[in-house]
């Protein structure tokens, strides 16, 4: 175990130097996979890494950072589709789906993970079955350029006491006008004991419904949010016009076929997406991004509303992104263009994706969005390669009363080739009245990067930016951190998995460090 010291450099408003102690653990074998999951309990950290049919379980001591045990299992079934790896009520589960071609049944299966003994249990259990093929959800592919797809959507209530699993059955008819979407909903308690389940036929033809999103509250009520179009067919000319062609509906599902349709009045704006979150006592908040023009991948602001347990919609708000935020980090030419557009009410942020919503301890909402886009590069003929770009983060704080308190644009640029987000994007935590967003800065190349963090005060929105660790050369030098592995230890300490090179081979190691004020 080695103790090293990092120097913090404030890059936003003023310079602060602070020495922070970091502890590096012993290197261990690197597993090349996108599917990495991390859990901590009782002073130990367990990593679950899945590559093809192989599962690698590694347990480390948080105190010493030493590897205590590693077990490799190579018996996942042929043709499985990884769905999720989760913790629920102190138990750990690996979920995957299997499609039986002969009977056309899809089964959601799981195997339990024994944290203490670092063991993937051999017994396969079937949680649910669907009587025909399920559509795969390409949400991750759309968001991150990932090659990972899912058949089942797992949603948790705010208190983690309820789990709802949604799936979208494949169509029975080829004609969209005569085909109605069918969505299965299975609701469980935290021990995965069934509460209720039902297969719902949607109230409109498939051609009229777009962009499903799912949620569940602490009472076991499930929600399907959908964009419902007013016509079966929309012409290209209609898409260019600024007439509202759809409305937003929330379907409240309570089991036994119960379905309540709630229409959300979005006004004259063009909402691009809507996500539902439980805030307290089965009260749901809807959050979406909107544009002032139709059919563009641009954002003019944020759209929020409240949905009561009785199904009434209230507090519908529009929060426009101001011009000074839109122009931040843009070149002079772009700023002049945006100024002209703003005079016509059409200045927007491009390529903005909504990532998550945080409910603060004071009841306020923190909306986190990130610029993401994918670029195709021609290599001649019909050959292309792709790069995924993860740029600025936009933070928006909305008070408990629904008023905009502050909005901050945090500058960063990240680029990754191929599929998956890898170490791109960010990791969010909240600690003692401040928001922390950790990320890797790959300004020089894609493999070696610097670990940075934005620190934002919750009340005023003041932003500081620190460099936590700079890339080093040489044997055993840290090259990058896996920010998604970050675990909060308490007492302003965090734990993160890093990557280094040893004898021209990648190795992993855990690093424990303090976080800045």
């Amino acid at each position: 175990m080695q103790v090293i010291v990092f120097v913090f450099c404030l890059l936003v408003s003023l310079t602060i130097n602070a020495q922070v102690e970091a502890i590096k653990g012993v290197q261990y074998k690197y597993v090349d996979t996108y599917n990495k999951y991390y859990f901590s309990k009782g002073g130990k950290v367990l990593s679950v890494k899945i590559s093809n049919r192989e599962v690698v379980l590694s347990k480390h001591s948080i105190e010493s950072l030493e590897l205590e045990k590693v077990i490799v299992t190579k018996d996942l079934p042929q043709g499985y589709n990884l769905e999720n790896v989760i913790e629920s009520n102190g138990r750990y589960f690996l979920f995957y789906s299997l499609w039986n071609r002969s009977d056309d049944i899809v089964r959601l299966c799981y195997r339990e993970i024994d944290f203490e003994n670092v063991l993937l249990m051999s017994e396969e259990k079937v949680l649910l079955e669907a009587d025909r093929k399920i559509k795969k959800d390409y949400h991750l592919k759309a968001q991150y350029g990932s090659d990972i797809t899912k058949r089942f959507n797992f949603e948790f209530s705010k208190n983690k006491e309820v789990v709802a699993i949604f799936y979208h059955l494949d169509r029975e008819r080829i004609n969209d006008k005569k085909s109605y979407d069918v969505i299965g909903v299975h609701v469980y308690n935290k021990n995965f004991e069934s509460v209720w389940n039902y297969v719902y036929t949607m109230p409109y033809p498939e051609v009229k419904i777009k962009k499903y999103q799912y949620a569940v509250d602490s009472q076991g009520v499930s929600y399907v949010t959908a964009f419902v179009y007013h016509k079966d067919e929309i012409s290209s000319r209609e898409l260019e016009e600024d007439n509202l062609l759809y409305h937003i509906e929330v379907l409240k599902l309570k089991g036994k076929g119960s379905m309540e349709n709630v229409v959300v009045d979005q006004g004259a704006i063009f909402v691009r997406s809507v996500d539902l979150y439980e805030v307290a006592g089965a009260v749901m908040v809807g959050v979406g991004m909107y544009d002032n023009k139709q059919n563009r991948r641009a954002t003019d602001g944020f759209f929020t509303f409240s949905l009561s347990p009785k199904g009434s919609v209230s507090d519908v708000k529009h929060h426009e992104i101001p011009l000074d935020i839109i122009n931040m980090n843009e070149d002079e030419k772009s700023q002049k263009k945006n100024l002209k557009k703003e005079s016509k009410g059409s200045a927007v942020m491009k390529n903005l994706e909504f990532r998550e919503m945080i409910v603060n301890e004071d009841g306020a909402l923190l909306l986190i969005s990130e610029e993401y886009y994918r670029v195709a590069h021609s290599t001649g003929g019909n050959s292309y390669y792709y790069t995924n770009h993860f740029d600025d983060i936009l933070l928006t704080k909305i008070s408990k009363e629904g008023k905009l308190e502050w909005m901050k644009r945090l500058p960063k640029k990240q680029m990754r080739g191929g599929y998956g987000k890898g170490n791109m994007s960010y990791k969010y935590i909240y600690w003692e009245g401040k928001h922390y967003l950790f990320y890797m800065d790959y300004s020089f190349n894609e493999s070696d990067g610097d670990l940075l963090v934005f620190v934002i005060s919750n009340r005023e929105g003041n932003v500081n930016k620190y460099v936590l660790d700079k890339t080093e050369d040489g044997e055993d030098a840290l090259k990058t951190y896996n920010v998604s592995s970050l675990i909060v230890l308490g007492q302003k300490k965090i734990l993160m998995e890093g990557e280094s090179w040893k004898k021209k081979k990648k190795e992993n190691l855990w690093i424990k460090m303090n976080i800045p004020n």
Side-chain angles (χ1 to χ4, degrees):
M1 187 169 69
Q2 180 183 356
V3 178
I4 57 178
V5 173
F6 296 146
V7 176
F8 289 109
C9 301
L10 185 61
L11 303 177
V12 175
S13 55
L14 57 118
T15 301
I16 295 177
N17 293 321
Q19 290 188 336
V20 174
E21 183 179 83
I23 301 173
K24 294 169 62 176
V26 178
Q27 293 171 325
Y28 57 98
K29 186 177 179 181
Y30 173 80
V31 180
D32 187 10
T33 178
Y34 175 83
N35 301 302
K36 301 177 183 180
Y37 303 85
Y38 303 90
F39 307 96
S40 63
K41 181 176 71 170
K44 311 294 181 183
V45 58
L46 179 72
S47 65
V48 182
K49 299 177 182 179
I50 305 167
S51 177
N52 298 319
R53 298 177 65 188
E54 180 178 278
V55 181
V56 181
L57 303 177
S58 303
K59 186 167 76 170
H60 285 75
S61 164
I62 292 176
E63 178 64 29
S64 67
L65 301 184
E66 292 181 357
L67 177 64
E68 295 188 344
K69 192 174 183 179
V70 58
I71 296 292
V72 180
T73 306
K74 299 182 179 181
D75 63 348
L76 286 179
Q78 189 74 34
Y80 81 97
N81 192 79
L82 180 64
E83 298 293 337
N84 216 335
V85 180
I86 63 173
E87 181 274 331
S88 184
N89 197 30
R91 298 166 64 192
Y92 303 84
F93 303 89
L94 190 159
F95 284 92
Y96 53 87
S97 61
L98 294 168
W99 174 48
N100 189 326
R101 189 182 295 272
S102 62
D103 59 15
D104 206 28
I105 290 178
V106 177
R107 295 174 174 87
L108 178 62
C109 308
Y110 70 89
R111 288 167 65 176
E112 202 159 345
I113 297 171
D114 183 339
F115 191 111
E116 301 299 331
N117 296 305
V118 195
L119 183 66
L120 178 63
M121 307 298 286
S122 59
E123 182 182 6
E124 175 185 276
K125 296 182 180 180
V126 177
L127 185 67
L128 65 89
E129 293 184 344
D131 61 4
R132 70 174 189 263
K133 195 173 180 180
I134 296 174
K135 289 184 178 180
K136 286 189 176 182
D137 184 355
Y138 291 87
H139 183 64
L140 281 175
K141 189 176 184 70
Q143 277 208 327
Y144 295 118
S146 169
D147 58 352
I148 292 179
T149 57
K150 307 288 186 184
R151 290 189 175 104
F152 295 90
N153 289 272
F154 288 68
E155 300 293 338
F156 295 82
S157 62
K158 187 175 185 294
N159 61 9
K160 306 299 182 183
E161 297 284 325
V162 180
V163 185
I165 299 176
F166 299 82
Y167 56 91
H168 190 172
L169 290 176
D170 211 351
R171 67 176 68 177
E172 289 185 310
R173 296 173 180 267
I174 297 176
N175 190 339
D176 285 357
K177 296 179 183 179
K178 297 181 180 179
S179 176
Y180 285 72
D181 279 334
V182 178
I183 293 177
V185 185
H186 289 246
V187 177
Y188 302 90
N189 64 19
K190 61 185 178 181
N191 295 313
F192 282 97
E193 297 167 336
S194 181
V195 177
W196 65 265
N197 65 82
Y198 198 83
V199 177
Y200 289 88
T201 299
M202 294 295 99
Y204 305 99
E206 182 179 353
V207 71
K208 283 191 172 182
I209 300 185
K210 310 291 182 186
K211 299 182 180 179
Y212 288 113
Q213 294 291 339
Y214 308 107
V216 66
D217 66 26
S218 55
Q219 304 302 313
V221 178
S222 298
Y223 302 82
V224 177
T225 307
F227 286 45
V228 181
Y229 281 75
H230 305 148
K231 295 172 61 178
D232 290 346
E233 295 181 0
I234 307 295
S235 67
S236 57
R237 190 180 74 175
E238 286 176 305
L239 288 174
E240 296 300 322
E241 296 173 348
D242 291 335
N243 297 318
L244 202 59
L245 304 174
Y246 60 90
H247 66 273
I248 299 167
E249 280 194 25
V250 179
L251 310 179
K252 291 187 65 176
L253 313 175
K254 300 180 181 179
K256 298 180 181 180
S258 170
M259 179 188 292
E260 179 184 350
N261 297 51
V262 180
V263 177
V264 180
D265 183 7
Q266 67 202 72
I269 60 174
F270 300 96
V271 178
R272 290 179 49 222
S273 64
V274 175
D275 291 271
L276 277 180
Y277 295 85
E278 184 180 21
V279 290
V283 174
M284 307 296 288
V285 167
V287 180
M289 298 187 297
Y290 71 86
D291 189 9
N292 49 29
K293 296 285 183 181
Q294 190 157 230
N295 201 33
R296 294 194 305 182
R297 196 166 184 264
T299 303
D300 190 48
F302 295 92
F303 167 70
T304 60
F305 63 90
S306 294
L307 179 64
S308 74
K310 294 183 179 180
S312 60
V313 176
S314 62
D315 299 324
V316 179
K317 306 285 186 182
H318 302 157
H319 306 284
E320 186 176 355
I321 302 174
L323 181 61
D324 60 339
I325 295 290
I326 295 172
N327 272 338
M328 277 185 67
N329 314 321
E330 301 290 338
D331 57 37
E332 186 178 351
K333 185 177 180 181
S334 297
Q335 290 186 20
K336 288 181 179 179
K337 283 184 178 180
N338 287 331
L339 185 59
K340 289 181 180 179
K341 290 178 181 179
E342 184 66 11
S343 65
K344 300 176 182 178
S346 59
V348 293
M349 279 190 71
K350 296 180 180 179
N351 305 312
L352 198 63
E353 295 287 340
F354 183 73
R355 295 302 192 208
E356 57 185 317
M357 186 190 84
I358 311 298
V359 182
N360 285 351
E361 55 191 11
D362 58 4
L365 309 179
L366 182 71
L367 316 183
I368 307 180
S369 307
E370 183 179 35
E371 289 181 314
Y372 168 75
Y373 56 97
R374 199 171 191 219
V375 179
H377 306 268
S378 174
T379 57
N382 293 322
S383 298
Y384 293 88
Y385 72 93
Y386 295 89
T387 54
N388 301 292
H389 299 258
F390 300 80
D391 291 347
D392 294 1
I393 298 170
L394 183 63
L395 296 185
T396 305
K397 185 183 178 185
I398 299 171
S399 71
K400 186 178 181 180
E401 294 71 33
K403 296 181 180 179
L404 178 64
E405 291 197 0
W406 48 258
M407 191 178 290
K408 301 293 178 180
R409 183 170 177 175
L410 311 179
K412 73 174 179 69
K413 283 190 178 294
Q414 298 169 304
M415 184 273 289
R416 175 183 172 85
Y419 287 98
K421 73 172 185 175
N423 291 334
M424 303 296 126
S425 199
Y426 67 91
K427 175 72 173 184
Y428 169 87
I429 67 170
Y430 179 81
W431 186 267
E432 294 182 348
K434 292 181 181 178
H435 308 279
Y436 294 79
L437 290 97
F438 297 81
Y439 73 98
M440 292 300 300
D441 178 21
Y442 296 97
S443 299
F444 301 102
N445 60 65
E446 194 178 321
S447 59
D448 300 345
D450 300 336
L451 177 64
L452 283 79
V453 61
F454 289 108
V455 183
I456 305 97
S457 62
N458 182 49
R459 181 174 293 181
E460 300 87 4
N462 297 327
V463 179
N464 291 335
K465 182 179 179 181
Y466 297 89
V467 176
L468 297 183
D469 185 19
K470 295 190 71 67
T471 299
E472 298 176 354
D473 295 322
E475 187 73 5
D476 294 344
L478 272 171
K479 295 298 184 181
T480 190
Y481 287 82
N482 180 4
V483 294
S484 64
S485 70
L486 189 150
I487 295 171
V488 179
L489 301 178
Q491 297 181 340
K492 303 205 76 173
K493 291 184 181 294
I494 58 171
L495 185 68
M496 228 182 305
E497 187 181 53
E499 294 176 14
S500 64
W501 286 92
K502 187 174 184 179
K503 296 181 180 179
K504 298 183 179 180
K505 288 185 179 180
K506 279 187 178 182
E507 297 281 344
N508 280 133
L509 71 160
W510 285 98
I511 303 96
K512 184 164 50 176
M513 68 178 71
N514 295 72
I515 57 177
N517 294 319

